[in-house]
Amino acid sequence: MRLLLIEDNVPLADELTALFTQHGYAVDWCTDGRDAAVMATSEPFDIIILDLGLPGRPGLTLLEQWRADGLDTPILILTARSSWSERITGLRAGADDYLPKPFHPDELILRLQALVRRRHGQRPSPTISVAGVVLDENGQSAWRTSNDTPVNLTRAEFAILRYLMLHPEHVIAKDRLLDHLYDSEHDRNPNVVEVHINHLRQKLGRGVIITQRGQGYRFGGDSVVA
């Protein structure tokens, strides 16, 4: 999942980037509200983490403008402003969640996972379950319900499978997968996607991901595993 982190505290941003990367997110980071205003609408982010006290342009102003312009990406405010009135103001402006600093990293990750699952119609649970395949977000493992034996996934395998399972009715083009799996600083080699998908098929069955020739990939689940 592609994540935009907007935070001007450099040491904290470094820690958060490492945390999010560990949990399968591709992170783009900016420190200035003016840069954030452009980035949020020019790249296909799946979720945005927004600090309020930003140089250049306040976070609350950004939030209000994005929502007025129709940006519907889930946004979690992460800020030192912790009073109940400030929380209400942020939520009324269009934030999907509000977490004051200091915070526990596990709580932040769980809130992110809940926002992503809610957006894609998944029930609140530490696992994503679609068409006979279960993905454990915390353990980064997966299994077929017909087998029940978990297999560990690499970070890239986990990220690809999660994205496809959150869009089970869609054919996902390779370029779209690359957009959501890698931040703007990474070289994007389309052949790498095919390698990871082949590894997923070896671990979960050939039918778990179906290739639509000339179009991309779609999640196949357990029902068509060969």
Side-chain angles (χ1 to χ4, degrees):
M1 308 298 287
R2 189 88 177 270
L3 183 151
L4 176 59
L5 172 62
I6 308 167
E7 171 61 63
D8 65 330
N9 182 320
V10 176
L12 175 59
D14 286 342
E15 292 178 9
L16 289 173
T17 298
L19 175 70
F20 297 146
T21 301
Q22 178 185 351
H23 285 82
Y25 296 91
V27 183
D28 287 270
W29 168 42
C30 64
T31 61
D32 187 278
R34 290 163 297 194
D35 295 335
V38 176
M39 287 187 68
T41 56
S42 61
E43 297 286 345
F45 293 105
D46 298 288
I47 194 160
I48 296 172
I49 307 298
L50 175 65
D51 186 19
L52 296 182
L54 297 169
R57 196 170 179 189
L60 193 63
T61 302
L62 289 174
L63 176 59
E64 291 171 338
Q65 186 61 57
W66 288 332
R67 293 314 193 207
D69 292 343
L71 183 72
D72 64 352
T73 305
I75 297 175
L76 184 149
I77 291 176
L78 189 65
T79 179
R81 303 177 186 178
S82 58
S83 72
W84 65 266
S85 60
E86 289 168 319
R87 297 188 194 203
I88 289 173
T89 298
L91 293 169
R92 281 180 173 166
D96 297 275
D97 202 354
Y98 194 112
L99 182 61
K101 303 170 184 175
F103 58 90
H104 194 286
D106 288 348
E107 180 181 2
L108 175 57
I109 291 298
L110 289 171
R111 286 175 180 264
L112 284 184
Q113 292 173 349
L115 287 178
V116 171
R117 285 194 299 267
R118 190 183 310 149
R119 180 176 177 82
H120 295 282
Q122 287 281 326
R123 61 187 176 85
S125 165
T127 61
I128 299 172
S129 181
V130 181
V133 175
V134 181
L135 179 68
D136 180 355
E137 290 194 273
N138 296 327
Q140 295 193 10
S141 62
W143 60 91
R144 306 198 317 258
T145 54
S146 60
N147 185 328
D148 256 1
T149 302
V151 293
N152 293 324
L153 305 176
T154 67
R155 189 176 299 164
E157 292 165 0
F158 167 74
I160 289 172
L161 185 59
R162 176 172 60 181
Y163 193 79
L164 291 172
M165 289 181 70
L166 288 172
H167 302 82
E169 305 300 323
H170 300 271
V171 176
I172 308 297
K174 188 177 291 186
D175 287 345
R176 182 176 168 189
L177 265 181
L178 288 168
D179 282 341
H180 287 270
L181 294 176
Y182 296 101
D183 61 53
S184 57
E185 300 299 319
H186 275 80
D187 292 330
R188 303 180 182 188
N189 183 349
N191 295 328
V192 171
V193 172
E194 185 66 36
V195 170
H196 292 311
I197 285 177
N198 283 336
H199 289 164
L200 283 167
R201 288 168 172 159
Q202 291 168 11
K203 292 180 177 182
L204 293 168
R206 293 191 56 80
V208 70
I209 297 174
I210 298 170
T211 300
Q212 301 285 125
R213 296 297 177 188
Q215 300 178 61
Y217 306 96
R218 67 178 176 86
F219 180 69
D222 191 28
S223 58
V224 293
V225 172

